[in-house]
Structure formats: structure tokens, C-alpha cells
């Protein structure tokens, strides 16, 4: 099937839930779906034998705080799906609101979603429902904040290049940016 | 006392929790896994990552595109050119670059395939060392040093080359370097045979690898494994063939596959891949076209150095590119490429400025860890090390 | 005070006694000859001998963090051959090692682990910060990376580079050997095992 045919079929089945869909200049199929119909669409994409989207390539989140402050939804989640048997490729976008961004898990469809979904929670603070093991993945337990949010500071430190060890340790003690105190 | 059913049931309740890592010589970095053991058998394995979290994705949001390239080197530090390539291809896609000069693409291919061989050599050496074969380790590093010397010759650095840039490569290949590559190409096949003579029919190696850590084709797809793991399970999936980039369609090479999906098959696939990579390099050397080694569009790549003194326009372009960087049109893009470990790609969102708005690395090791822990279930404790080695994880790209 | 220290002290006392006893006998020898014997043989302290032995048998812990770990492995291989300097015996357990090569970036999550591994190493112990990241944070100045491993453990030698080549690391090892020999028998060396 061509991308255009898949796009038309999905549009016909999910109607208003598909907020936007297009085949880009590079020939890639992109679909933006409302979050309440998202799981239905994903299950359909996986289980329809004509599409055969059985391979999840990656999941990522985007925070549009700086780029477009007036955007209706602050967050976006991107799913990249391939077919292992056919030459199909689809990119699914889901918009999430700033308050309580919640998205259902696709772990039962693609087990490869295990880590990327935990990363969504860890790095962006999205709540992934029905994930079998929802906790922080990369940052330590008890870390405050979600680093990939645009309003999370990069936390640049002043580095002391000095041969005087006393001077250096003094400078470090006054640093309040250091989140975890390794001396403890 | 014989083993009764009741006894087995009681023993089931009595599991032991075993911590492995993050400082463990066989976890290939700082990977930690918590094993639930029933005697010698692994009941469940829970991975714990993040000990090498470097914040590269966040840092990239604050740097210009050209500054991101050295950081991509440090993600998958065993085959840096492939990360450079994935990043540059994505930026070029956003910039709307249709085609690069042929020489640029060929040089990129040579670097990437050298990187693949170098990466597989480290995998072979450490994997064999983990299972107990020390000699392979020393042999593999002997050849890797030759690749590192070639890297140093062309880019000035042994490992982190940053040679591939947006719009081409950093500088042209010298005749000495091409001679060096040719020498390596002629020298290498006999050495691959040597590794095989040490391992392929070695009874200890067969016992430790055959039928262990198996994954069927369906499971491998379900768990989003990629690269050699997928191909060892019988799926012929290679982005170099499936969606050729950098003129990979002009080369004649095979994609090795195996059927059983165990550790031994992954070993066979990777060893054959080294031969195929060598084949690609040989063809690239034979057919290396002349001409420019980067785009001649001075809005994307730097103008030649010697024109700066004579051409006002070049000077302005040079100044703009160095001080301000290239501005990338608004949009998002993803280009899958075939790295040494599988599908490597960057998902980049651009807001139209000279810094990326969001950079996400699709790392094969990161996606492979849940599947790897699935393989460990039911395996012996001694096989855990072999399974980790067979997936060939690099913690740099797992934790980013 | 460790066992080794007691032994050093005992031998030093013994040597001093010897020196006092042998003074007369030595003075009867020829002037230039007696000086040589007195300076070189009798005043050589055992601490120096111990230091000399330590410097030639550095056992690094297998502690690979990131990119630099690959170059650290290269150093142990035949081309660079760290065995020439007695530093090729990489020990998987920190309890058997006396040199920690911090090879790569140290994240906030890794810092407590690193500290713990350092504490597990027996004394005397030394630390080489290999590469820009472990020396000062390198190109990664952000929330995730500890800006220099010297905030967690005391560092003896910093090796610059990103990553430093095996030859640079070997130079670092040689510098550390010089430091061990210089410190040998002194108060600093004594504090290391206290």
C-alpha cells in the first residue's frame, strides 16, 4: 500500500479524531491524533494485516514552551512505527496539555516501548497509564524535576582552575547549584 | 533425598537477589542489573541505567548545530562516525539538501565502515574476554589500533573524529591516507579468518554460545531489537539496503543473516559484517570519485580557506558561518541509518534558528536493553555475561 | 597506624642503632669511602624501598566509565603495553586494587557509587583522573555531570585530553610513579595508610 492509501483509510475510520494528516515532501506519512482515540489508532495500526506496523522505532517528547508559547497544547509525543515485512513507515503525533499530561501506554502492543515510556516520565513528567513498571529510568530516585522540560535550567557551574586546593574546596562549598552532594 | 515436587515448590519461594554492576568488568560500562536468582537460574532481571547520564540532549538544545557534532561522537563512542553521519543527514534533510558531491558520500562511507569494523573488533575482543578467551582480545585490538591510526591521520584524533560535517566532510582525504586504508583493506581479511579459527569451531565457545539467549524473529521485532540481533534472528533488515543513504545503493554487498537467534548466530553475523564492511571500503576506494568533498553552497559549508584573501563574498560567508552558524528551517525530521549496533537516528525539531530546538537520539542499545533482560530470564547466571556481550551495548548512547 | 608503618618504624630504629654502633668502625675507613657507605647504605630507609616496590606494582581497578575506558583498555594491550611499567594487572574487585583510573564522565548518579568503590580500595591508594570530563567536566557543563571527580575523591594525577591517548595515560602513570617515589618514606606517604 502507498502512504496516501493508508492515510485515506485512517482518515475514513477515525474521522474527527485525526486532527491532521499528510504525506510530507520526503514521502513520510505523518498523523496527528487526539489523545482519547490514540490507543485505538495504535492498536489498529499494529493489528491491521495490510499495514503491519509491528516495529516501534522510538518514542520521544517535545516541549513547545519556548518555540510557540501560544500553542494550545504545550507538549507533544512522537511515535515512529515501521513494518518489518513491508516498506511502511508512519509517524504519529499526540498533543498533551500542560496540566497533568497523561498518555496511555502502548507496552502491550510493542514491548520495546518499555524504556522510552519510562523515559517520557523521567525526562518530561508525562504520566504513562498502565505501564507495568512506571518509575524513574535515568535520573536517580528522588531527583527533583524533569530535565528535558524547557523551563528546567541547564545548571552551568563555574569551574575553578586553581592549584590551590583550599581555594577550590571553598569555592565548591558555596556552590548551591550542585543537586546531589557527593561529599555526603 | 530425591527432588520431589513439593521440594521444588518450596525452593521456588526461596530466591536470592543478586546485584550486578554498575562497576562490573563484563557489563561493558556502567550498566546495573538486579537479578532474582533461583539457585543458578535467573528468575527475573531488572535493569537500572542512568549511571552515565550526560545530559547530551539537553546540552544540544543550547548549542549550535556545528557544536553538536562533537557531542554525537561521545554517544556511541565505539563507532563515532556513524553518529556524526546520522546527525548530519538529519540536519541536511531539514536544510533541504538533495544530494552531496559523490566524493563526500564515498569518504563518509569509508569512515563509517571503518568505524563499524572498529566497533565490532571491540565487541569481539571484550565478548570473547568475558567468556574466557583472552587471546582474541589481544588480536582484535591489534587491528583496531590500525583503524585508530587511520582516524588520527585524517582527523587528528584517534577516536572522536568529528570528521563528518553538515554538507560533507571536514577535509579532503590525502593520498597517504588512502594508501593506508588500502593497506588495511588488503591486510584485514586474513585476520578475520584468524579470529574465526580461534572461535568458530572452538568447543568451549560453542558450548557457551549455542542455544543461549535465543530470540525468535517475532520476539525480536516485538522488543524493538535492531541491527545484528535482528539479523541473527532471521530478519533481513538493514537500513543501508532498505532505504539507502550516502549512496550505499552504489555498493555491492551482502546482508548476513542467521536463523537461530542465539549468541552464536549473532557472533557469526557480526564477523561476516566485518568482511562485508571491508568489501564496501574496497569498492569505495576503487571507485572514489574526484571533485569537491563538501557542498559548494557557502551558506551551509565553509568556503575554501585560500579564497578568504581574495573574495569578499567568501569572507562574509566564512564570518557568518563561524560566528552565527547555519540557520535550519522550521520543521522536524528523522533519518534512520544503520550503525554498528542497529538503527541509529536523530529526531531533530528545529525552530528556524541556529540551535536545534530538540535533539533525540534513537539508540539501538537503549531500545535493546529490555529485550536483553527478557533473554536473561531462565538462563544460567554464567550466561548473563555472555548475553550482555552478545547485544553489544554501549552505555554512552543508552544514558545519553 | 598500620602494620606496615610499625614495621618501617622498627627497622628505622634498628638502622639508627646500627649507625650509632658502626660509627667508630666506619670512621676508621678512608674518608671518601666511609661517607659513601654512611649515606647510601645505612641511611636508606625502608620506606623508600617500600615506595619503590609500590610504584612498580600499581594494580588498577577495572573501572571503565565512558569513552576513556576504551583508551584505558588500549593501554593494557600489546601495542602500548602497560606491563612495562607494572600497571597491567587490572583487578575486577576494588578490594584488590590500589590505583583507580577514573576513565570518563562522572554523573550525579555515579558519584556516590564511585565514592563507595574508592572507600573499598585498600590503602595506600592513588587516583588518576583520566580525560577532560573527570578532570573538570569537559564539554559537559550541565545538571548531570559532576564537574571534576576531585569533588568526590582526592586526585593525584590529571591526564588531559578527550580522550587522552594511551601514551598520555602512560605518561600519567609514570608521573604517578615519580610522585610515589618522591613521597616514599615521608610524612605524606605515612598519612596515606593512616
Amino acid at each position: 500500500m502507498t502512504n496516501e492509501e493508508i492515510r485515506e483509510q485512517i482518515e475514513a475510520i477515525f474521522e474527527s479524531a485525526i486532527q491532521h494528516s499528510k504525506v510530507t515532501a520526503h514521502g513520510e506519512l505523518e498523523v496527528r491524533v487526539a489523545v482519547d482515540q490514540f490507543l485505538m489508532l495504535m492498536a489498529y495500526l499494529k493489528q491491521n494485516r495490510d499495514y503491519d506496523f509491528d516495529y516501534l522505532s522510538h518514542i520521544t517528547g517535545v516541549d513547545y514552551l519556548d518555540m510557540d508559547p501560544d500553542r494550545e497544547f504545550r507538549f507533544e509525543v512522537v511515535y515512529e512505527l515501521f513494518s518489518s515485512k513491508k516498506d511502511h513507515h508512519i509517524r504519529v503525533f499526540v498533543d498533551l496539555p500542560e496540566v497533568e499530561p497523561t498518555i496511555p501506554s502502548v507496552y502491550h502492543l510493542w514491548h520495546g516501548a518499555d524504556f522510552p515510556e519510562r523515559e517520557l516520565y523521567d525526562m518530561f513528567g508525562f504520566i504513562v497509564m498502565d505501564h507495568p513498571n512506571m518509575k524513574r529510568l535515568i535520573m536517580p530516585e528522588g531527583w527533583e524535576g524533569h530535565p528535558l522540560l524547557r523551563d528546567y535550567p541547564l545548571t552551568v557551574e563555574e569551574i575553578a582552575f586553581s592549584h590551590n586546593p583550599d581555594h577550590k574546596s571553598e569555592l565548591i562549598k558555596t556552590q548551591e547549584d550542585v543537586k546531589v552532594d557527593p561529599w555526603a | 533425598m530425591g527432588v520431589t515436587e513439593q521440594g521444588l515448590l518450596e525452593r521456588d519461594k526461596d530466591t536470592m537477589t543478586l546485584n550486578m554492576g554498575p562497576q562490573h568488568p563484563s557489563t561493558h560500562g556502567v550498566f546495573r542489573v538486579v537479578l532474582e536468582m533461583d539457585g543458578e537460574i535467573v528468575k527475573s532481571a531488572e535493569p537500572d541505567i542512568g549511571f552515565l547520564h550526560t545530559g547530551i540532549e539537553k546540552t544540544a538544545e543550547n548549542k549550535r548545530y556545528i557544536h553538536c557534532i562533537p557531542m554525537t561522537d561521545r554517544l556511541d563512542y565505539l563507532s563515532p562516525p556513524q553518529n556524526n553521519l546520522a546527525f548530519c543527514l538529519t540536519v541536511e534533510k531539514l536544510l533541504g539538501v538533495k544530494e552531496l558531491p559523490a566524493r563526500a558520500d564515498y569518504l563518509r562511507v569509508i569512515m563509517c565502515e571503518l568505524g563499524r569494523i572498529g566497533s565490532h573488533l571491540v565487541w569481539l575482543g571484550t565478548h570473547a574476554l568475558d567468556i574466557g578467551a583472552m587471546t582474541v582480545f589481544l588480536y582484535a585490538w591489534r587491528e583496531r589500533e590500525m583503524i585508530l591510526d587511520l582516524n588520527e591521520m585524517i582527523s587528528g584524533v584517534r577516536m572522536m573524529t568529528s570528521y563528518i560535517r553538515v554538507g560533507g566532510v571536514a577535509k579532503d582525504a590525502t593520498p597517504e591516507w588512502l594508501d593506508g586504508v588500502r593497506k588495511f583493506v588488503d591486510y584485514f581479511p586474513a585476520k578475520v579468518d584468524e579470529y574465526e579459527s580461534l572461535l568458530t569451531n572452538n568447543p568451549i565457545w560453542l558450548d557457551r554460545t549455542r542455544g543461549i539467549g535465543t530470540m525468535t524473529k517475532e520476539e525480536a521485532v516485538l522488543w524493538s531489537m535492531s541491527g545484528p540481533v535482528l539479523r541473527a534472528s532471521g530478519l533481513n533488515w538493514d537500513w543501508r539496503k532498505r532505504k539507502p543513504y550516502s549512496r550505499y545503493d552504489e555498493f555491492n554487498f551482502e546482508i548476513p543473516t542467521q536463523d537461530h537467534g542465539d549468541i552464536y548466530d549473532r557472533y557469526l553475523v557480526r564477523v561476516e559484517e566485518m568482511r562485508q564492511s571491508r568489501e564496501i571500503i574496497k569498492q569505495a576506494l576503487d571507485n572514489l570519485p574526484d571533485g569537491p568533498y563538501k557542498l559548494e553552497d557557502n551558506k551551509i559549508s565553509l568556503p575554501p580557506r585560500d579564497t578568504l584573501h581574495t573574495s569578499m563574498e567568501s569572507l562574509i560567508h566564512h564570518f557568518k558561518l563561524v560566528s552565527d552558524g547555519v540557520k535550519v528551517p522550521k520543521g522536524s525530521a528523522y533519518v534512520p541509518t544503520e550503525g554498528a549496533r542497529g538503527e541509529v537516528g536523530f529526531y531533530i525539531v528545529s525552530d528556524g534558528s541556529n540551535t536545534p530546538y530538540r535533539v533525540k537520539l534513537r539508540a539501538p542499545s537503549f531500545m535493546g536493553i529490555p529485550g536483553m533482560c527478557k533473554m536473561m530470564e531462565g538462563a544460567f547466571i554464567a550466561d548473563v555475561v555472555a548475553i550482555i556481550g552478545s547485544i553489544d551495548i554501549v552505555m554512552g548512547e543508552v544514558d545519553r | 597506624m598500620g602494620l606496615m608503618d610499625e614495621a618501617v618504624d622498627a627497622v628505622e630504629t634498628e638502622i639508627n642503632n646500627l649507625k650509632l654502633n658502626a660509627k667508630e668502625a666506619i670512621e676508621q675507613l678512608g674518608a671518601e669511602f666511609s661517607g659513601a657507605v654512611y649515606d647510601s647504605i645505612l641511611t636508606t630507609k625502608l620506606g623508600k624501598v617500600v615506595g619503590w616496590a609500590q610504584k612498580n606494582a600499581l594494580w588498577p581497578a577495572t573501572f571503565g566509565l565512558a569513552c576513556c575506558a576504551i583508551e584505558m583498555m588500549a593501554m593494557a594491550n600489546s601495542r602500548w603495553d602497560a606491563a612495562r611499567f607494572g600497571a597491567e594487572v587490572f583487578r575486577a574487585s576494588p578490594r584488590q586494587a590500589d590505583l583507580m583510573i577514573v576513565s570518563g564522565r562522572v554523573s550525579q548518579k555515579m558519584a556516590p557509587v564511585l565514592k563507595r568503590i574508592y572507600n573499598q580500595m585498600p590503602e595506600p591508594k592513588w587516583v588518576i583522573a583520566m580525560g577532560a570530563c573527570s578532570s573538570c567536566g569537559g564539554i559537559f557543563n550541565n545538571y548531570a555531570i559532576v564537574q571534576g571527580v576531585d569533588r568526590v575523591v582526592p586526585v593525584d594525577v590529571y591526564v588531559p585530553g578527550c580522550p587522552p591517548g594511551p601514551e598520555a595515560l602512560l605518561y600519567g602513570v609514570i608521573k604517578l610513579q615519580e610522585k610515589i617515589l618522591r613521597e616514599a618514606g615521608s610524612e605524606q606517604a605515612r598519612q596515606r595508610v593512616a
Side-chain angles (χ1 to χ4, degrees):
Chain A
M1 287 177 94
T2 64
N3 283 337
E4 192 58 40
E5 283 167 8
I6 298 177
R7 190 185 78 81
E8 278 167 13
Q9 275 192 9
I10 295 173
E11 282 265 1
I13 292 168
F14 287 89
E15 295 172 346
S16 59
I18 304 290
Q19 292 155 342
H20 181 73
S21 71
K22 69 169 180 190
V23 178
T24 62
H26 296 284
E28 292 168 351
L29 177 56
E30 294 187 346
V31 173
R32 187 175 298 277
V33 64
V35 68
D36 51 343
Q37 290 283 311
F38 161 72
L39 201 57
M40 293 275 285
L41 174 75
M42 293 307 255
Y44 180 71
L45 290 176
K46 164 89 195 269
Q47 278 145 15
N48 190 325
R49 283 298 158 91
D50 294 337
Y51 308 161
D52 236 339
F53 286 114
D54 53 359
Y55 188 84
L56 176 85
S57 172
H58 70 88
I59 304 175
T60 180
V62 186
D63 177 2
Y64 281 103
L65 184 69
D66 296 338
M67 187 160 153
D68 191 1
D70 301 329
R71 203 173 184 271
E72 191 186 348
F73 296 98
R74 178 174 164 185
F75 300 116
E76 178 186 88
V77 186
V78 187
Y79 292 75
E80 193 106 22
L81 301 178
F82 293 109
S83 164
S84 68
K85 303 182 186 77
K86 304 188 176 75
D87 199 17
H88 292 164
H89 171 200
I90 189 171
R91 193 174 294 141
V92 180
F93 298 93
V94 189
D95 283 330
L96 292 183
E98 184 167 358
V99 185
E100 285 194 26
T102 312
I103 192 156
S105 168
V106 294
Y107 175 81
H108 61 284
L109 295 170
W110 298 277
H111 286 356
D114 184 358
F115 267 22
E117 283 184 344
R118 279 175 69 184
E119 196 193 9
L120 280 186
Y121 167 69
D122 194 359
M123 290 289 155
F124 289 94
F126 300 163
I127 300 147
V128 184
M129 282 186 304
D130 303 328
H131 189 282
N133 189 14
M134 197 75 263
K135 57 182 183 188
R136 279 197 184 269
L137 176 68
I138 288 172
M139 304 310 293
E141 295 281 333
W143 185 270
E144 277 176 33
H146 303 280
L148 279 179
L149 294 178
R150 291 297 287 204
D151 46 11
Y152 186 94
L154 183 66
T155 328
V156 176
E157 280 179 46
E158 289 293 324
I159 309 295
F161 287 102
S162 166
H163 291 295
N164 183 354
D166 299 333
H167 163 70
K168 196 161 179 176
S169 60
E170 205 161 85
L171 194 119
I172 295 156
K173 272 173 201 152
T174 54
Q175 268 291 343
E176 288 170 359
D177 293 339
V178 187
K179 282 267 174 351
V180 176
D181 184 9
W183 293 101
Chain B
M1 201 177 83
V3 181
T4 60
E5 199 173 330
Q6 186 60 34
L8 277 175
L9 278 175
E10 275 170 12
R11 209 185 62 184
D12 275 353
K13 291 176 202 148
D14 196 21
T15 59
M16 186 176 86
T17 310
L18 191 68
N19 175 61
M20 187 170 166
Q23 188 263 340
H24 189 282
S26 307
T27 53
H28 294 227
V30 283
F31 175 60
R32 174 171 177 242
V33 59
V34 181
L35 301 165
E36 201 66 36
M37 304 294 302
D38 177 15
E40 287 261 316
I41 313 274
V42 179
K43 280 270 165 200
S44 71
E46 201 192 333
D48 184 8
I49 63 171
F51 291 98
L52 195 58
H53 179 55
T54 317
I56 287 179
E57 288 180 3
K58 180 89 178 171
T59 312
E61 290 172 10
N62 296 280
K63 296 216 187 256
R64 279 183 234 137
Y65 284 93
I66 182 84
H67 298 153
C68 293
I69 294 176
M71 287 200 293
T72 61
D73 281 319
R74 283 147 185 88
L75 287 163
D76 176 359
Y77 41 77
L78 291 183
S79 58
Q82 280 154 350
N83 287 32
N84 295 163
L85 180 68
F87 184 82
C88 292
L89 282 175
T90 315
V91 177
E92 280 158 14
K93 189 174 179 181
L94 281 167
L95 283 166
V97 176
K98 289 272 182 307
E99 199 184 46
L100 288 184
R103 192 178 174 85
D105 274 339
Y106 273 59
L107 287 174
R108 283 178 170 193
V109 166
I110 296 178
M111 278 307 275
C112 281
E113 296 306 321
L114 281 177
R116 190 187 311 276
I117 294 177
S119 171
H120 281 355
L121 285 174
V122 174
W123 157 79
L124 183 69
T126 51
H127 186 32
L129 185 68
D130 290 346
I131 296 186
M134 178 91 189
T135 315
V136 189
F137 179 69
L138 295 170
Y139 280 20
W141 280 80
R142 186 184 56 195
E143 272 73 62
R144 185 178 150 84
E145 284 293 333
M146 298 179 77
I147 295 174
L148 294 183
D149 280 351
L150 290 171
N151 281 350
E152 193 169 6
M153 232 165 133
I154 199 163
S155 71
V157 197
R158 275 160 57 87
M159 277 169 72
M160 311 307 185
T161 53
S162 295
Y163 178 65
I164 296 168
R165 303 284 169 86
V166 176
V169 293
K171 60 178 184 181
D172 204 356
T174 56
E176 295 82 43
W177 185 75
L178 292 171
D179 279 350
V181 179
R182 189 167 288 285
K183 269 191 200 130
F184 176 76
V185 163
D186 293 339
Y187 165 87
F188 190 59
K191 297 294 152 186
V192 184
D193 295 342
E194 201 173 276
Y195 312 143
E196 282 222 86
S197 72
L198 285 172
L199 293 177
T200 306
N201 295 317
N202 182 334
I204 303 171
W205 182 258
L206 289 172
D207 281 352
R208 290 298 308 271
T209 57
R210 215 186 255 172
I212 291 162
T214 42
M215 206 167 215
T216 62
K217 195 200 289 187
E218 287 71 29
E219 276 178 334
V221 169
L222 186 68
W223 286 95
S224 292
M225 311 302 281
S226 58
V229 183
L230 211 50
R231 291 192 281 275
S233 295
L235 191 65
N236 189 338
W237 185 338
D238 191 312
W239 286 106
R240 290 174 294 176
K241 286 274 190 207
R242 184 167 165 168
K243 209 182 213 175
Y245 51 92
S246 284
R247 295 173 201 255
Y248 265 111
D249 44 347
E250 293 177 11
F251 299 101
N252 185 15
F253 63 101
E254 305 273 311
I255 304 297
T257 54
Q258 296 288 334
D259 299 325
H260 303 98
D262 56 6
I263 299 176
Y264 185 66
D265 278 6
R266 285 172 212 138
Y267 156 77
L268 290 179
V269 164
R270 287 204 178 91
V271 169
E272 186 56 32
E273 268 184 23
M274 286 200 266
R275 291 210 178 89
Q276 295 299 329
S277 291
R278 178 255 171 200
E279 203 59 41
I280 297 172
I281 298 171
K282 187 167 187 296
Q283 290 170 33
L285 281 179
D286 290 342
N287 307 321
L288 185 69
D290 289 327
Y293 60 94
K294 60 184 179 184
L295 274 184
E296 290 187 325
D297 182 353
N298 288 343
K299 286 200 164 49
I300 294 173
S301 61
L302 288 175
R305 185 81 203 170
D306 52 339
T307 60
L308 294 191
H309 306 295
T310 51
S311 159
M312 191 64 192
E313 202 186 349
S314 291
L315 193 63
I316 292 170
H317 280 309
H318 194 277
F319 178 73
K320 276 293 275 181
L321 267 181
V322 171
S323 63
D324 203 25
V326 56
K327 278 200 171 52
V328 176
K330 214 168 169 171
S332 63
Y334 175 75
V335 183
T337 64
E338 191 67 34
R341 268 151 274 280
E343 181 188 333
V344 182
F346 283 87
Y347 181 77
I348 300 179
V349 180
S350 168
D351 59 351
S353 70
N354 54 4
T355 57
Y357 186 78
R358 168 95 173 92
V359 178
K360 193 239 154 44
L361 168 73
R362 192 273 180 210
S365 306
F366 176 74
M367 299 297 285
I369 286 185
M372 180 176 88
C373 291
K374 172 79 178 33
M375 278 179 218
M376 288 178 193
E377 286 170 18
F380 282 106
I381 177 82
D383 295 335
V384 167
V385 167
I387 291 171
I388 294 175
S390 76
I391 307 291
D392 190 18
I393 51 171
V394 168
M395 291 320 282
E397 65 173 11
V398 173
D399 296 338
R400 285 158 291 155
Chain C
M1 204 167 174
L3 268 179
M4 184 60 88
D5 268 2
E6 281 173 28
V8 170
D9 278 355
V11 172
E12 274 174 17
T13 324
E14 204 55 34
I15 288 173
N16 281 336
N17 289 342
L18 254 177
K19 269 195 275 184
L20 288 175
N21 293 341
K23 210 175 174 190
E24 280 179 24
I26 287 170
E27 276 166 1
Q28 285 171 6
L29 292 166
E32 71 274 38
F33 189 58
S34 73
V37 171
Y38 198 79
D39 286 346
S40 64
I41 300 167
L42 290 179
T43 57
T44 304
K45 290 179 181 165
L46 185 64
K48 283 273 179 209
V49 180
V50 171
W52 172 83
Q54 280 169 339
K55 105 174 168 48
N56 285 314
L58 287 169
W59 286 17
T62 314
F63 187 52
L65 284 170
C67 338
C68 292
I70 311 295
E71 291 293 63
M72 185 173 78
M73 282 151 74
M75 181 192 76
N77 268 291
S78 47
R79 182 176 179 190
W80 305 98
D81 198 11
R84 290 176 294 166
F85 307 97
E88 88 285 13
V89 192
F90 280 85
R91 303 310 294 184
S93 166
R95 294 184 197 279
Q96 300 168 354
D98 56 4
L99 168 64
M100 181 152 96
I101 302 178
V102 185
S103 55
R105 44 206 189 237
V106 182
S107 70
Q108 304 279 4
K109 194 172 178 178
M110 194 66 197
V113 182
L114 185 134
K115 178 88 183 163
R116 188 173 190 142
I117 289 169
Y118 178 77
N119 287 341
Q120 285 175 346
M121 284 164 56
E123 285 150 344
K125 52 194 168 187
W126 296 273
V127 178
I128 292 181
M130 179 186 181
C133 297
S134 59
S135 299
C136 66
I139 60 171
F140 303 111
N141 193 346
N142 59 26
Y143 65 95
I145 294 294
V146 176
Q147 300 297 308
V149 72
D150 47 8
R151 300 189 172 194
V152 190
V153 294
V155 176
D156 293 289
V157 178
Y158 298 85
V159 183
C162 192
E167 72 277 18
L169 184 57
L170 276 178
Y171 185 67
V173 171
I174 294 168
K175 281 283 154 200
L176 181 65
Q177 291 182 337
E178 285 172 9
K179 180 176 179 172
I180 294 171
L181 202 59
R182 197 170 56 239
E183 275 185 0
S186 72
E187 194 52 38
Q188 285 128 305
R190 201 163 299 203
Q191 277 169 6
R192 274 184 192 279
V193 286

